Amino acid sequence: MTAAVTTDTEHDEAPDTGDGGRGAARRFGALALAAAVVVGLLLGYAGGLLTPTLTRPGDNSAEAGFARDMSSHHAQAVAMGLLAFRQGQDPEVRQMGGDIATGQQGEIGTMQTWLRSWKLDPTGEQPPMAWMSDGAAVRNGLMPGMATPEEMAKLKAATGREFDVLFLQMMIRHHVGGVHMIDGILDQGHDDDVLAVAQVMKNTQQKDLTNLQAALKRLGGTL
């Protein structure tokens, strides 16, 4: 499981539609966000290199399981965030999408660097979520809060307010599942640096949840 940088720009090459420059501005913004995502990933890698390696978590440790699973979980959030930045109608939705994409791509970089510094592969032999002591449910191979391929396809096809509401609903569920996973490593982990980063992740996602729920309420949507 190597976490790829999500910088799909297929929508950024659309022809000019005579919209007074707004299309060009959006295309420029999408390219700038793609660059920011790459920078965030590199900074995440650099941050991960600062983790001491005197005692390295093992292949079946909670830390390794968390780093692998949360990298995959974050990758979907990055994809959703980039969609929101490109397709969102509401300015706040676009801003939140961009912020989530860049922030979580940086965290992927940190977690992948941990695995390399621990001399571990990005993927392990254990199934997803096996590291969590409470046996968190994995449905159809998806970790808590993750969207199905059908839900992702529906989001990509949506436009206008329908897209904004659907994005907010899906990202709220995604973040709730992510916080559950973070709570798992905070309960079971022993590596101080992993625990410190996990706590920052939790604080960020809880703040995001407050903003996402407020935006959903403002747009008249429900969970």
Side-chain angles (χ1 to χ4, degrees):
M1 173 197 63
T2 300
V5 180
T6 309
T7 57
D8 181 6
T9 56
E10 61 181 0
H11 294 280
D12 304 332
E13 300 175 357
D16 188 358
T17 57
D19 59 359
R22 289 189 299 274
R26 182 65 66 81
R27 289 194 296 274
F28 176 80
L31 290 172
L33 177 63
V37 167
V38 173
V39 171
L41 180 64
L42 294 175
L43 290 175
Y45 284 139
L49 289 172
L50 299 177
T51 301
T53 58
L54 295 177
T55 57
R56 293 171 178 159
D59 195 50
N60 294 327
S61 65
E63 284 84 357
F66 172 77
R68 289 162 172 158
D69 288 349
M70 189 57 85
S71 289
S72 294
H73 201 274
H74 270 23
Q76 187 179 74
V78 171
M80 291 167 62
L82 290 173
L83 282 174
F85 185 81
R86 287 199 304 257
Q87 297 176 214
Q89 175 177 277
D90 184 79
E92 186 182 11
V93 167
R94 293 198 300 272
Q95 181 65 51
M96 287 191 292
D99 290 346
I100 289 170
T102 54
Q104 297 214 359
Q105 191 69 65
E107 292 172 354
I108 289 172
T110 296
M111 292 184 287
Q112 292 297 300
T113 302
W114 287 343
L115 291 168
R116 284 198 298 274
S117 71
W118 300 335
K119 310 300 183 183
L120 300 178
D121 292 332
T123 58
E125 296 182 356
Q126 291 188 327
M129 306 301 294
W131 57 275
M132 285 195 69
S133 61
D134 68 354
V138 176
R139 297 182 179 180
N140 299 319
L142 297 174
M143 290 173 280
M146 289 188 71
T148 65
E150 293 76 18
E151 288 171 331
M152 289 297 293
K154 182 178 179 180
L155 182 66
K156 291 177 182 178
T159 59
R161 178 185 174 278
E162 178 188 1
F163 174 90
D164 293 340
V165 170
L166 186 57
F167 166 76
L168 293 168
Q169 292 169 332
M170 290 173 62
M171 189 58 80
I172 288 170
R173 291 196 297 270
H174 200 276
H175 268 22
V176 169
V179 169
H180 178 69
M181 294 169 65
I182 295 168
D183 282 338
I185 193 62
L186 290 175
D187 289 341
Q188 298 171 227
H190 302 287
D191 185 286
D192 289 341
D193 294 280
V194 172
L195 295 177
V197 172
Q199 186 62 59
V200 172
M201 286 185 189
K202 180 176 180 178
N203 295 344
T204 300
Q205 292 201 30
Q206 287 180 324
K207 182 178 179 181
D208 285 347
L209 279 168
T210 298
N211 295 332
L212 291 163
Q213 290 165 348
L216 182 62
K217 181 178 180 180
R218 175 172 58 80
L219 293 177
T222 58
L223 290 176

